[in-house]
């Protein structure tokens, strides 16, 4: 099979598996915003921001290191068992330290003590499935990967729906029995965390066979090499996460206390509409990361890498314009309470920022296949510093609009820096005319539709149709060759 065709097939499956959990965040928005005021939802947004930060620390780059050494080393069993034991040990240490200093951490993170235990266990359970999921991807088992992810989503959505919608309606003040004992008023945040905890635990149970099927050998030499490779990846991951979630935490801390949670809630709800770009970019990355390594030794891999980036930009440009054009429709579907809609102007900015991040991931092939992961760390740190400075300086004046602009500038800078250094160390023949054309036209049409014509569908839809016509005319033959030729 054509390697690019195989890549897109696996990306479609991984995309489904990746989109579903992230789509869960969008699907749950109308549920959460329907039962909680912006202030309460703002607390949930901050807790999930900390989830993202700690997830990176608990993974410490081992997933990417696993792909790198699983491909290269002859003794793959040692790579798998060493990775599993490393994650097991670090997760156990995290739980021990977390519960010993539970009160202090609750105060520092400003997460209520009643929620902090849930947070620790969810983080630990999610960490323990990192290597098993990486193993499935490395062995090209996308269907099993997708099925387990789907079970996680269904369970999480079902439990959230039960606790937040069904249970309150089933229980009256006079009710007794099991349902009555499960119900508590003003317990929504705990119900959300319990739903996540149960779904994470079930996911680990479904992945236990990866832990149980092998003799355990901890190879110190392999571990040291993996850690040396993984540390810059972790630094880059931390910086990425800072760009992605620190704005919510800073908004909570910098804005006046009487409005902070409300503003975070509005911002956190509206930026969920940009998740469609994030889902696409993440799904694409899930497919291309193993592809980068498996094809790095083939003849002229740079040509394939360039084609992949071209297709990403074409598809991403369509998604950017489509979400912007239909943003008012999407907000009614996913953020039903108009109290949150004040933050809608951030949507195009966050969409474009996510697009830039996706392009950056495609460009990052050069430092991954040449083992120059330290450049990824440097570039991400520059983005993180931009995020922090812009947020701290401008949040007091512009609120969440400053956060949206900071995210856009950070990801845009990272994209440009990766291109600059990649051209020096691992030149790839990107079609810049095509990339700039599609990106420029999509941004122009999006600006016209959203800001100039105020999201008028009578203007936006013709612009989208015109853009799709351009893509069809210019790309149809290339796509037909890609998917029909073997």
């Amino acid at each position: 099979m054509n390697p690019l065709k195989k890549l897109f097939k696996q990306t479609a499956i991984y995309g489904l598996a990746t989109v579903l959990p992230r789509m869960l965040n969008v699907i749950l928005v109308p549920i959460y915003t329907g039962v909680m005021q912006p202030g309460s939802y703002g607390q949930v947004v901050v807790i999930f921001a900390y989830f993202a930060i700690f997830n990176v620390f608990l993974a410490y780059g081992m997933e990417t290191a696993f792909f790198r050494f699983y491909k290269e080393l002859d003794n793959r069993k040692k790579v798998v068992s060493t990775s599993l034991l490393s994650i097991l040990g670090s997760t156990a240490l995290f739980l021990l330290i977390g519960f010993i200093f539970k009160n202090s951490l609750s105060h520092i993170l400003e997460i209520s003590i009643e929620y902090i235990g849930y947070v620790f266990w969810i983080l630990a359970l999610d960490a323990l499935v990192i290597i098993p999921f990486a193993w499935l991807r490395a062995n090209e088992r996308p269907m099993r990967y997708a099925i387990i992810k789907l079970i996680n989503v269904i369970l999480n959505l079902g439990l959230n729906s039960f606790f937040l919608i069904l249970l309150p309606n089933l229980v009256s003040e006079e009710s007794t029995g099991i349902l009555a004992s499960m119900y508590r008023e003003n317990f929504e945040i705990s119900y959300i965390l319990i739903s996540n905890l149960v779904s994470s635990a079930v996911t680990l149970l479904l992945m236990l066979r990866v832990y149980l099927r092998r003799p355990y050998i901890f190879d110190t030499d392999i571990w040291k090499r993996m850690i040396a490779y993984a540390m810059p990846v972790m630094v880059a991951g931390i910086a990425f996460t800072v760009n992605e979630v620190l704005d919510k935490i800073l908004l909570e801390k910098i804005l006046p206390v009487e409005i902070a949670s409300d503003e975070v809630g509005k911002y956190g709800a509206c930026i969920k509409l940009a998740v469609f770009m994030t889902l696409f970019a993440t799904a694409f990355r899930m497919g291309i990361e193993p592809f980068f390594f498996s094809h790095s030794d083939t003849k002229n891999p740079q040509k394939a890498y360039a084609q992949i980036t071209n297709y990403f930009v074409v598809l991403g440009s369509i998604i950017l314009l489509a979400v912007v054009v239909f943003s008012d429709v999407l907000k009614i579907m996913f953020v039903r309470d108009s109290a949150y809609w004040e933050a809608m102007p951030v949507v195009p900015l966050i969409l474009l920022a996510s697009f830039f991040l996706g392009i950056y991931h495609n460009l990052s092939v050069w430092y991954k296949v040449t083992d120059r992961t330290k450049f990824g760390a440097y570039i991400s740190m520059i983005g993180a510093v931009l995020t922090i400075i812009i947020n701290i300086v401008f949040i007091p004046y512009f609120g969440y609009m400053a956060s949206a602009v900071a995210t856009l500038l950070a990801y845009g800078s990272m994209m440009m820096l990766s291109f600059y250094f990649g051209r020096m160390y691992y030149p790839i023949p990107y079609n810049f005319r095509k990339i700039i054309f599609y990106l420029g036209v999509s941004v122009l049409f999006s600006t016209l539709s959203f800001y100039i014509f105020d999201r008028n569908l009578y203007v936006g839809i013709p612009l989208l149709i015109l853009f799709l016509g351009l893509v069809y005319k210019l790309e149809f033959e290339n796509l037909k060759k890609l998917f029909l030729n073997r």
Side-chain angles (χ1 to χ4, degrees):
M1 180 185 288
N2 181 327
L4 285 180
K5 182 175 180 180
K6 180 180 179 181
L7 166 67
F8 279 100
K9 180 180 178 182
Q10 291 199 3
T11 298
I13 299 173
Y14 284 127
L16 175 65
T18 306
V19 163
L20 286 172
R22 291 178 177 257
M23 271 301 294
L24 178 67
N25 293 328
V26 179
I27 295 169
L28 289 173
V29 169
I31 296 177
Y32 293 165
T33 55
V35 299
M36 292 186 285
Q37 292 299 308
S40 296
Y41 180 64
Q43 295 180 53
V44 175
V45 170
V46 171
I47 290 173
F48 277 84
Y50 280 117
F51 273 142
I53 292 173
F54 279 99
N55 280 335
V56 178
F57 280 105
L58 289 171
Y60 51 91
M62 285 298 285
E63 181 182 31
T64 303
F66 177 87
F67 287 126
R68 177 68 178 83
F69 289 89
Y70 191 80
K71 164 206 172 260
E72 179 183 274
L73 295 177
D74 293 332
N75 197 337
R76 292 183 168 184
K77 290 184 178 179
K78 285 186 178 180
V79 175
V80 177
S81 62
T82 299
S83 303
L84 290 172
L85 287 171
S86 182
I87 291 289
L88 273 169
S90 57
T91 303
L93 180 63
F94 163 75
L95 282 175
L96 179 64
I97 294 173
F99 280 103
I100 289 175
F101 297 102
K102 180 172 66 172
N103 291 329
S104 298
L105 288 170
S106 174
H107 177 72
I108 293 169
L109 302 178
E110 297 184 359
I111 297 176
S112 173
I113 193 69
E114 64 182 301
Y115 308 137
I116 201 75
Y118 295 129
V119 170
F120 291 155
W121 280 112
I122 292 168
L123 286 168
L125 292 170
D126 288 346
L128 293 177
V129 297
I130 290 169
I131 299 302
F133 275 127
W135 183 85
L136 290 178
R137 290 172 60 198
N139 285 277
E140 297 187 356
R141 300 188 182 181
M143 287 305 300
R144 179 170 174 79
Y145 182 100
I147 290 169
I148 294 174
K149 289 284 188 178
L150 178 61
I151 292 171
N152 177 283
V153 168
I154 292 173
L155 187 57
N156 202 340
L157 177 60
L159 288 171
N160 271 282
S161 300
F162 171 75
F163 284 128
L164 299 178
I165 299 175
L166 293 178
L167 186 61
N169 292 325
L170 292 173
V171 177
S172 64
E173 294 183 3
E174 296 78 24
S175 296
T176 58
I178 296 177
L179 292 178
S181 65
M182 295 172 61
Y183 178 70
R184 298 184 191 179
E185 290 186 3
N186 302 316
F187 204 64
E188 291 85 3
I189 297 176
S190 292
Y191 284 142
I192 291 169
L193 295 174
I194 290 169
S195 300
N196 277 269
L197 178 63
V198 173
S199 58
S200 294
V202 171
T203 300
L204 178 59
L205 288 174
L206 294 173
M207 299 296 286
L208 271 183
R209 60 184 295 184
V210 179
Y211 280 95
L212 301 176
R213 65 188 298 176
R214 61 193 70 261
Y216 280 94
I217 302 170
F218 188 82
D219 190 303
T220 306
D221 180 61
I222 291 175
W223 184 78
K224 288 179 179 178
R225 292 174 62 194
M226 293 182 76
I227 288 294
Y229 184 89
M231 285 299 101
V233 176
M234 182 186 74
V235 173
I238 293 169
F240 275 135
T241 308
V242 165
N243 290 326
E244 188 175 353
V245 304
L246 190 66
D247 50 356
K248 292 88 170 175
I249 296 171
L250 290 176
L251 283 167
E252 179 76 22
K253 293 184 179 297
I254 294 174
L255 290 174
V257 65
E258 63 271 14
I259 66 167
S261 292
D262 281 354
E263 295 295 280
V264 174
K266 295 171 187 176
Y267 178 66
C270 286
I271 64 173
K272 292 296 184 186
L273 299 186
V275 78
F276 296 100
M277 182 65 76
T278 305
L279 297 176
F280 164 66
T282 304
F284 210 89
R285 180 175 62 83
M286 295 290 282
I288 64 173
E289 194 168 58
F291 180 88
F292 284 162
F293 292 118
S294 63
H295 285 73
S296 60
D297 297 327
T298 60
K299 184 179 179 181
N300 194 17
Q302 292 92 335
K303 182 179 179 181
Y305 299 156
Q307 285 182 285
I308 289 168
T309 301
N310 290 340
Y311 291 127
F312 177 86
V313 172
V314 171
L315 296 172
S317 297
I318 294 172
I319 293 171
L320 171 65
L321 181 56
V323 175
V324 168
V325 167
F326 292 104
S327 56
D328 273 356
V329 177
L330 293 171
K331 81 179 182 185
I332 295 171
M333 293 172 59
F334 295 107
V335 190
R336 297 174 183 173
D337 190 340
S338 60
Y340 292 83
W341 294 351
E342 177 188 305
M344 280 297 293
V346 305
V347 172
L349 300 177
I350 298 297
L351 270 168
L352 184 57
S354 298
F355 193 11
F356 285 165
L357 178 60
I359 296 173
Y360 168 81
H361 281 306
N362 280 269
L363 298 177
S364 71
V365 59
W366 70 268
Y367 68 72
K368 291 182 179 178
V369 300
T370 60
D371 290 350
R372 290 185 171 93
T373 52
K374 63 181 181 181
F375 278 92
Y378 297 153
I379 292 170
S380 301
M381 288 170 67
I382 291 171
V385 169
L386 278 174
T387 296
I388 293 169
I389 292 174
I390 295 172
N391 273 286
I392 290 176
V393 172
F394 292 105
I395 280 177
Y397 304 101
F398 302 104
Y400 47 67
M401 285 301 295
S403 298
V405 172
T407 304
L408 177 62
L409 293 177
Y411 289 152
S413 300
M414 289 165 58
M415 176 183 68
M416 297 304 297
L417 286 169
S418 185
F419 164 70
Y420 174 77
F421 288 114
R423 189 170 57 175
M424 294 171 56
Y425 292 100
Y426 193 78
I428 295 175
Y430 297 114
N431 188 333
F432 294 110
R433 291 180 62 185
K434 179 181 289 188
I435 289 172
I436 293 171
F437 171 76
Y438 284 120
L439 180 58
V441 173
S442 179
V443 170
L444 174 62
F445 285 3
S446 297
T447 302
L448 290 172
S449 174
F450 195 94
Y451 296 111
I452 305 301
F453 291 99
D454 198 26
R455 292 164 275 182
N456 188 318
L457 289 176
Y458 291 109
V459 174
I461 291 176
L463 288 174
L464 178 60
I465 293 172
L466 175 60
F467 188 71
L468 291 173
L470 287 171
V471 172
Y472 178 83
K473 181 176 177 60
L474 298 175
E475 300 297 330
F476 177 73
E477 290 300 323
N478 291 331
L479 292 173
K480 186 169 71 172
K481 289 177 183 178
L482 173 65
F483 290 105
L484 296 182
N485 292 347
R486 293 188 175 273

